[in-house]
């Protein structure tokens, strides 16, 4: 997964821009997704991240959250599945970021299909380098396995460390991560930053097929205490959705 923002001033057609992005989990799909009462049909073209169990777990948790009257920032919105739920759960405005304008155009398409009427601001931005704010809440499913960084937790750590630049005092940070990204490390970092942390919910699921294609990832995961478990020869990760209130 590329991790650097591409200029939005490019004149390339959107399809061409997306097709240049290749890699696992960037295949085209049409998905029926249900989070709580929120049913959606998503168009995911080639080059846009295909929602995984991590995103699905976050979506389920967001369906139980109240965003009434909030301006919510989502980093790395992908096809926009969480943005739809956040708007339907009462947000008054959304700011969505991605690394390429064509991905944001697709998210807008999916939001339009679901008749999301609140103001939607989109921004090509490299992770926490976002204009505007402070926002009432920040939501994200950060890159991890495919972060493309030697220090794989880069996006999780910078999210927590920079949250105070993006979220108002007393606002919320909501995100999902795998047990293989070290749950204690995130909890400690959020608490060191003065946040009050709760777990919105936890689930577990078998390894994604692409984990096995990255021996370095598997070796790192094996060093994380309780990073994964093995049942009947199948390895399972836990997926945790956090809600942290900023000081
Ligand atoms: C794990 S995917 C989540 C996508 C979507 N929210 C979901 O749950 O299906 C991470 C997303 O972050 C985007 N991304 C990667 N590097 C980024 C960066 N430096 N700044 C902003 N977004 C980034 C990717 O394009 C991808 O859509």
């Amino acid at each position: 997964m590329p991790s650097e923002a591409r200029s939005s001033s490019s004149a390339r057609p959107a399809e061409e821009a997306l097709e240049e992005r290749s890699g696992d989990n960037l295949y085209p799909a049409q998905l029926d997704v249900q989070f709580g009462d929120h049913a959606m049909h998503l168009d995911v073209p080639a080059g846009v991240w295909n929602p995984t169990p991590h995103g699905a777990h976050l979506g389920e948790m967001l369906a139980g959250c109240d965003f009434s009257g909030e301006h919510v920032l989502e980093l790395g919105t992908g096809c926009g599945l969480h943005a739809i739920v956040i708007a339907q759960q009462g947000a008054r405005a959304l700011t969505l970021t991605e690394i390429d304008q064509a991905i944001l155009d697709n998210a807008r398409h999916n939001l339009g299909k679901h008749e999301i009427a609140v103001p939607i601001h989109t921004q090509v931005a490299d992770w926490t380098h976002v204009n505007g704010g402070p926002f009432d809440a920040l939501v994200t499913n950060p890159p991890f396995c495919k972060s493309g960084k030697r220090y794989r937790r880069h996006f999780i750590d910078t999210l927590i460390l920079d949250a105070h630049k993006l979220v108002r005092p007393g606002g919320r940070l909501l995100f999902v991560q795998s047990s293989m990204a070290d749950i204690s490390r995130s909890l400690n970092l959020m608490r060191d930053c003065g946040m009050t942390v709760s777990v919105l919910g936890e689930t577990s699921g078998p390894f994604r097929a692409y984990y096995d294609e990255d021996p370095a990832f598997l070796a790192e995961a094996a060093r994380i205490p309780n990073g994964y478990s093995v049942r009947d020869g199948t390895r399972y990760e836990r997926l945790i959705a956090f809600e942290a209130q900023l000081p």
Side-chain angles (χ1 to χ4, degrees):
M1 180 189 305
S3 57
E4 286 177 13
R6 286 184 188 169
S7 162
S8 57
S9 61
S10 162
R12 291 171 302 156
E15 304 75 34
E16 194 182 303
L18 286 176
E19 279 164 14
E20 277 177 19
R21 289 168 42 79
S22 62
D24 294 324
N25 218 53
L26 298 175
Y27 53 87
Q30 296 207 316
L31 301 174
D32 287 311
V33 177
Q34 177 98 30
F35 298 135
D37 294 337
H38 305 270
M40 57 191 86
H41 182 78
L42 300 164
D43 297 319
V44 185
V48 173
W49 183 258
N50 229 281
T52 65
H54 307 65
H57 181 53
L58 181 61
E60 282 290 343
M61 297 301 104
L62 295 174
C65 292
D66 183 7
F67 292 100
S68 295
E70 296 194 345
H71 186 167
V72 180
L73 168 67
E74 185 184 17
L75 300 181
T77 193
C79 68
L81 74 169
H82 300 128
I84 293 170
V85 179
I86 294 164
Q88 291 175 341
Q89 288 294 105
R92 73 175 159 82
L94 300 171
T95 293
L96 311 176
T97 75
E98 258 299 343
I99 53 173
D100 198 306
Q101 185 60 44
I103 303 177
L104 291 168
D105 292 346
N106 171 245
R108 239 183 222 286
H109 158 80
N110 281 321
L111 283 145
K113 258 180 75 165
H114 294 83
E115 299 179 350
I116 301 303
V118 299
I120 301 161
H121 311 279
T122 58
Q123 215 179 107
V124 174
D126 186 6
W127 206 230
T128 55
H129 299 277
V130 174
N131 295 321
F135 300 91
D136 298 303
L138 192 175
V139 174
T140 189
N141 172 12
F144 173 61
C145 171
K146 293 195 167 291
S147 72
K149 304 286 185 187
R150 174 66 189 86
Y151 178 69
R152 217 174 287 258
R153 277 184 54 98
H154 168 86
F155 291 98
I156 298 174
D157 285 8
T158 52
L159 172 73
I160 297 169
L161 292 170
D162 287 349
H164 69 284
K165 298 178 190 167
L166 299 170
V167 179
R168 65 168 170 77
R172 292 178 294 168
L173 167 64
L174 304 102
F175 69 99
V176 66
Q177 74 161 78
S178 165
S179 50
M180 297 201 289
D182 199 337
I183 295 163
S184 304
R185 201 157 175 165
S186 296
L187 278 171
N188 289 335
L189 193 55
M190 286 189 277
R191 287 175 181 148
D192 287 348
C193 291
M195 299 179 193
T196 306
V197 186
S198 58
V199 172
L200 282 175
E202 177 176 332
T203 187
S204 79
F207 273 21
R208 311 285 301 157
Y210 54 76
Y211 294 175
D212 285 322
E213 292 158 16
D214 186 345
F217 176 63
L218 295 176
E220 287 166 36
R223 289 196 289 272
I224 303 298
N226 304 314
Y228 63 87
S229 58
V230 185
R231 297 197 295 277
D232 299 327
T234 301
R235 290 160 299 178
Y236 291 85
E237 63 183 320
R238 290 152 60 213
L239 306 175
I240 292 90
F242 289 116
E243 179 179 58
Q245 185 175 29
L246 272 72

